[in-house]
Amino acid sequence: MSPAVRRTLVIAATGPIAGAILAAPSAFAADKAVSKTTSVTELNAAEQKIADNLNTRSQDARLGSTLSGVVIDAKTDKVVWGHNATTALMPASNAKLATAAAALTVLGPDHRFTTKVVYGDGTLTLVGGGDRTLTADDLDALAKTAVAGLNNAGLTSVQVQVDDTLFPEPTLATGWNTGYYPNEVAPVRPLVVDGHAVTDTSLDAGQVFAKLLADRGVTVTGDVTRGVAGAGNVPVAQHQSDELSTIVKHMLKVSDNNIAETLLRMTALGAGRPATFEDGTAVARAVLSQRYGVSLDDFEMYDGSGLSRSTRIPAQTLADILDLTTDPRYRQTLKYIADGLPVAGEAGATLGPEWGRFDTPDSQCAVGKVKAKTGTLTGAIALSGMTKAQDGRWKIFSFVENGSTANGNDIKDALDGLAATVNGCWV
């Protein structure tokens, strides 16, 4: 794709598209595509300086020989600088940008995930609803309500089971190394408590729930088992998560792999497809290409978190996703992606000082001025975000590096320097 021809934009409704049946890729193509091309435009002085400096600094030996990068003006879509921008590389956690865009579009920013407790035939069933933010306090509130119901019915003992049939197998994605789970990412299930890094999060949550029942005086007989809630089971209690917009922002701030994988599955369900990796990534592709007109040449996505070493996304595509968040037609839905990007120097986020980011003489001038999604795998480091340049205009950037033999921290320092170059504070 020529830098002068950025992408075709699709006029889209601002509301969620939950319930759309993706029987075929064309299901999102109800709106007419409107061609929008960007003519070759001369760079202003600030942009020319960005381009000249990036031409030099992108050759930094720390970045190796495989770099995909692009800088665009958010208002005009003018390409300020590009280097192998359409070359597809491992994006690491920058893939979460695609997951977030798909989830917000399909489910809507106000969507909440529901965890339920139902009763039937002497058994309380904890039903997973895809809430990766469920806490022990939330489970305790469910237990309190359940115990009150049991007491009213004169019941003093129950069995406990978990129903996690919302997500079918496989629980592990193509391209995941065995060393990733359960600490980097747990096998994907729709039920978890306090983000426990365990192999079976569903049974673990059920065991926590059973203990909370016991602490409130109910006798739990037998071990917690896995089962399916019966159609005639009586609803006992339910908990709803925070709104999706809040969850997306948190997911991006701390780069939470488990939340990303759960969102991918729930997005598939919201589009009327099974909650699998394959269907979730298919929906993400459909949303990006057919809802928003993002070019997906050489786009390969196998999970929601970017941990898959099989995933390939060009810097151009990542920049295009971020560019959507600045478009007035889509901002109501996608602004939470921009809001969730870590800010350089922000403690508690992945661009914070505890991660050694933006702390070199070249980049520390950009603290508080750059917000961007990080991405780190062995052999793949990425940084995609936005900053207000010296001309007072927002610039979208994406830099993806693969295969450098330099120390990972040194590579990150080099990428931080590129971002500071876009800002213009590193002169």
Side-chain angles (χ1 to χ4, degrees):
M1 178 178 67
S2 168
V5 183
R6 290 279 326 294
R7 56 183 166 85
T8 300
L9 291 176
V10 179
I11 303 298
T14 58
I17 52 178
I21 305 298
L22 281 177
S26 61
F28 278 107
D31 301 312
K32 292 183 178 180
V34 177
S35 177
K36 177 181 178 182
T37 61
T38 303
S39 59
V40 177
T41 306
E42 290 187 5
L43 304 181
N44 63 39
E47 292 169 338
Q48 190 62 58
K49 191 170 186 178
I50 291 172
D52 291 343
N53 283 338
L54 285 178
N55 282 335
T56 300
R57 294 166 184 173
S58 63
Q59 303 304 313
D60 190 319
R62 293 173 294 179
L63 296 173
S65 60
T66 307
L67 176 72
S68 177
V70 69
V71 178
I72 58 180
D73 182 85
K75 185 174 182 179
T76 65
D77 287 347
K78 175 172 56 178
V79 176
V80 176
W81 176 84
H83 176 80
N84 297 326
T86 59
T87 299
L89 300 176
M90 277 191 292
S93 283
N94 276 207
K96 291 183 176 74
L97 297 173
T99 302
L104 288 167
T105 302
V106 172
L107 300 173
D110 298 336
H111 185 81
R112 298 175 186 267
F113 305 109
T114 303
T115 304
K116 299 185 294 184
V117 178
V118 298
Y119 176 83
D121 297 326
T123 299
L124 281 178
T125 303
L126 182 63
V127 184
D131 179 8
R132 235 323 176 140
T133 64
L134 189 73
T135 68
D137 285 343
D138 299 331
L139 278 186
D140 191 43
L142 290 173
K144 179 180 179 180
T145 302
V147 169
L150 292 172
N151 289 340
N152 287 339
L155 300 170
T156 58
S157 67
V158 291
Q159 293 180 309
V160 172
Q161 68 176 7
V162 294
D163 182 344
D164 63 357
T165 55
L166 189 65
F167 292 177
E169 294 185 341
T171 60
L172 306 175
T174 298
W176 283 4
N177 288 343
T178 55
Y180 289 167
Y181 46 86
N183 292 323
E184 291 297 324
V185 65
V188 185
R189 294 185 170 88
L191 183 59
V192 66
V193 60
D194 287 337
H196 288 170
V198 295
T199 300
D200 195 326
T201 59
S202 297
L203 285 179
D204 174 70
Q207 289 160 0
V208 172
F209 181 62
K211 183 178 184 304
L212 291 168
L213 292 172
D215 289 345
R216 291 182 176 277
V218 172
T219 299
V220 177
T221 60
D223 295 329
V224 175
T225 58
R226 180 176 271 106
V228 180
N233 282 184
V234 177
V236 173
Q238 70 174 32
H239 168 77
Q240 288 195 313
S241 71
D242 285 337
E243 292 182 344
L244 176 61
S245 57
T246 299
I247 294 173
V248 163
K249 287 188 290 185
H250 174 73
M251 183 262 289
L252 294 173
K253 287 283 186 188
V254 301
S255 202
D256 192 300
N257 297 319
N258 291 297
I259 289 177
E261 296 305 339
T262 302
L263 292 186
L264 186 75
R265 301 284 188 113
M266 296 305 291
T267 299
L269 281 175
R273 299 184 66 151
T276 65
F277 292 107
E278 182 178 6
D279 288 282
T281 54
V283 172
R285 286 186 61 91
V287 168
L288 293 174
S289 64
Q290 297 171 32
R291 189 73 167 177
Y292 297 121
V294 174
S295 174
L296 295 185
D297 293 342
D298 300 320
F299 178 99
E300 298 180 46
M301 185 177 178
Y302 292 90
D303 65 4
S305 63
L307 283 175
S308 174
R309 301 189 66 82
S310 298
T311 291
R312 297 291 186 274
I313 304 178
Q316 182 71 63
T317 303
L318 296 168
D320 284 346
I321 294 170
L322 287 172
D323 195 26
L324 292 170
T325 70
T326 69
D327 190 315
R329 293 172 294 179
Y330 314 128
R331 181 163 172 75
Q332 182 178 350
T333 298
L334 300 181
K335 64 182 179 180
Y336 305 101
I337 296 175
D339 292 346
L341 294 176
V343 176
E346 177 186 14
T350 56
L351 282 183
E354 63 268 43
W355 297 98
R357 303 304 298 260
F358 288 86
D359 61 355
T360 69
D362 298 332
S363 64
Q364 61 187 179
C365 64
V367 167
K369 301 176 182 178
V370 168
K371 51 184 179 180
K373 181 69 196 77
T374 57
T376 305
L377 287 176
T378 301
I381 297 180
L383 188 69
S384 299
M386 55 187 66
T387 186
K388 188 173 287 188
Q390 296 303 300
D391 60 4
R393 299 170 68 92
W394 284 98
K395 310 299 181 187
I396 308 293
F397 64 83
S398 179
F399 306 112
V400 184
E401 169 280 322
N402 278 192
S404 173
T405 57
N407 176 275
N409 290 329
D410 290 340
I411 298 170
K412 293 173 185 177
D413 286 343
L415 291 180
D416 292 349
L418 297 186
T421 300
V422 178
N423 174 263
C425 66
W426 179 21
V427 298

